[in-house]
Amino acid sequence: VAEDARYLVNHLEQRLAEDDRTTELGIVATVQGDTVHLRGDVASEHRRELVGAVAAEAAPGYTIVNEITVTGPDAGVEEVLS
Amino acid sequence: VIRVAAVGDIHVDRDLAGRLRASLSRIGDEADVLLLAGDLTRHGTPDEARVVAEEVRDLPVPVVAVLGNHDHHSDAGEDVARILVDDAGVHVLEGTSVTLELPGGRLGVAGAKGFGGGFLGRSGSEFGEPEMKAFARHGRETADRLGEALRSVDAPTVVALTHYSPVDDTLVGEPQEIWAFLGNYLLAEHIDAAGAALAVHGHAHAGREKGLTAGGVRVRNVAQPVLRRPYGVYCLAAADDSGAVGVTDAAALARAPAAAGPHH
């Protein structure tokens, strides 16, 4: 794991805000060991997947647990816990 | 009664094309005007602006908008505004106002993007490094533009439309450390001075819908993630000769008979 874990949350949240594929300013990342949990709301499943993909690029070596909620017409009612 | 529908932070791109339009299918029955409180696009590109224009073109009510920070991200804010005006007839405001003759009476809408800067006792100043001065100055200048727009309106009932918040009431839920980036009290000062009937803003996705200025003007944060419905509808009692107005929220509207009369 190359990234200094103490600063990973800030770098990750900043990347999700600034990367043109995501531009999401409201995502909260938390780090536990080598796992990153992502939480927040996005408007479509496609955007949820992009947030997960960009986070994986920004935090190589970490396991990304994408708990982003999709709101609006695409919202699902069930959450799959893995 | 004038029924004002409002939503902000719709962040449209090709990925979501058609969704907003579908959510507006009943707007003509539920409201007399639609306000868009900024962040209409994701990256502020002309292409995204064309998608927004397609979403709101030919609605049965007039559409009034301000731009948000996302709409400036590609340094093409003027292009975004022009496309909304030319392609969809949207009234795009920045330090300007529009007066609309609606079935419930004449409504003035004064708008400006607004900016950060902070709130009473916790606000930035035009002091120190050029970057800090520029930040504080932009907040003051866009607030002053809102003030000019509010003073220029010739209508008994006036609504202030911004992207950034004039008050911190509607930011509760956002981390307090970032409130100074989410709004500016100078907006509220102008709103109070003008005696607006309602102030509508977006930007604070994790905030809450309802707030109040120090002068008692109702504030509504209509950011789509806050509303969790297609738009809010706020009913303004037509102003009497004294200029006094009342605000009724959408829940009360649902119990009231729909206003008769043609829609624009």
Side-chain angles (χ1 to χ4, degrees):
Chain A
V1 174
E3 181 79 40
D4 184 334
R6 293 170 295 182
Y7 300 99
L8 177 62
V9 164
N10 285 64
H11 292 164
L12 198 49
E13 292 180 359
Q14 202 159 356
R15 173 75 177 273
L16 292 171
E18 294 174 356
D19 193 294
D20 277 346
R21 290 168 293 171
T22 48
T23 61
E24 297 288 352
L25 278 65
I27 304 300
V28 174
T30 56
V31 180
Q32 285 183 321
D34 59 0
T35 301
V36 175
H37 287 252
L38 301 172
R39 301 191 184 102
D41 294 344
V42 298
S44 72
E45 179 60 29
H46 180 56
R47 291 185 186 181
R48 195 186 76 85
E49 289 167 4
L50 282 173
V51 169
V54 171
E57 286 177 21
Y62 285 84
T63 301
I64 305 295
V65 179
N66 188 344
E67 299 187 333
I68 303 289
T69 303
V70 176
T71 62
D74 289 358
V77 292
E78 63 178 31
E79 178 185 4
V80 180
L81 301 175
S82 56
Chain B
V1 171
I2 299 172
R3 301 170 304 165
V4 178
V7 64
D9 304 80
I10 51 181
H11 295 289
V12 168
D13 63 3
R14 292 269 165 214
D15 179 35
L16 297 188
R19 181 188 288 190
L20 176 65
R21 182 137 200 112
S23 77
L24 296 173
S25 61
R26 293 183 307 168
I27 189 88
D29 297 325
E30 295 181 338
D32 303 310
V33 60
L34 173 63
L35 307 185
L36 299 175
D39 277 6
L40 313 180
T41 65
R42 293 187 83 194
H43 307 92
T45 63
D47 185 58
E48 289 175 352
R50 284 183 205 101
V51 179
V52 176
E54 287 162 21
E55 300 290 294
V56 300
R57 180 185 295 145
D58 299 326
L59 289 179
V61 298
V63 181
V64 185
V66 293
L67 301 188
N69 52 312
H70 279 251
D71 306 317
H72 285 279
H73 183 61
S74 298
D75 296 327
E78 288 184 12
D79 295 332
V80 169
R82 185 175 39 74
I83 288 164
L84 294 175
V85 172
D86 291 350
D87 290 10
V90 176
H91 302 276
V92 181
L93 306 180
E94 176 54 42
T96 53
S97 64
V98 61
T99 302
L100 303 165
E101 299 292 342
L102 302 175
R106 194 159 87 252
L107 177 72
V109 182
K113 176 179 64 68
F115 194 53
F119 299 93
L120 290 176
R122 291 157 289 150
S123 57
S125 304
E126 290 178 47
F127 183 87
E129 302 90 326
E131 292 82 359
M132 189 63 212
K133 284 187 280 204
F135 179 87
R137 187 185 313 121
H138 182 56
R140 175 174 56 78
E141 288 176 345
T142 185
D144 286 345
R145 283 196 290 274
L146 178 70
E148 287 169 27
L150 284 163
R151 287 190 292 277
S152 75
V153 177
D154 178 24
T157 305
V158 178
V159 173
L161 175 63
T162 60
H163 179 60
Y164 287 79
S165 180
V167 296
D168 53 14
D169 295 23
T170 50
L171 305 182
V172 173
E174 295 281 2
Q176 205 163 349
E177 295 87 343
I178 69 167
W179 285 9
F181 297 100
L182 300 180
N184 192 318
Y185 78 97
L186 294 170
L187 298 166
E189 201 170 0
H190 287 294
I191 288 163
D192 281 341
L198 172 70
V200 170
H201 73 88
H203 193 52
H205 293 202
R208 62 184 183 189
E209 183 181 357
K210 296 176 183 177
L212 199 65
T213 67
V217 175
R218 253 67 71 87
V219 179
R220 296 293 179 263
N221 174 3
V222 298
Q224 226 278 315
V226 170
L227 291 181
R228 293 186 180 270
R229 57 189 193 272
Y231 42 80
V233 179
Y234 308 104
C235 299
L236 308 179
D240 60 23
D241 291 340
S242 70
V245 295
V247 177
T248 309
D249 279 297
L253 168 75
R255 296 191 296 272
H263 295 293
H264 296 264

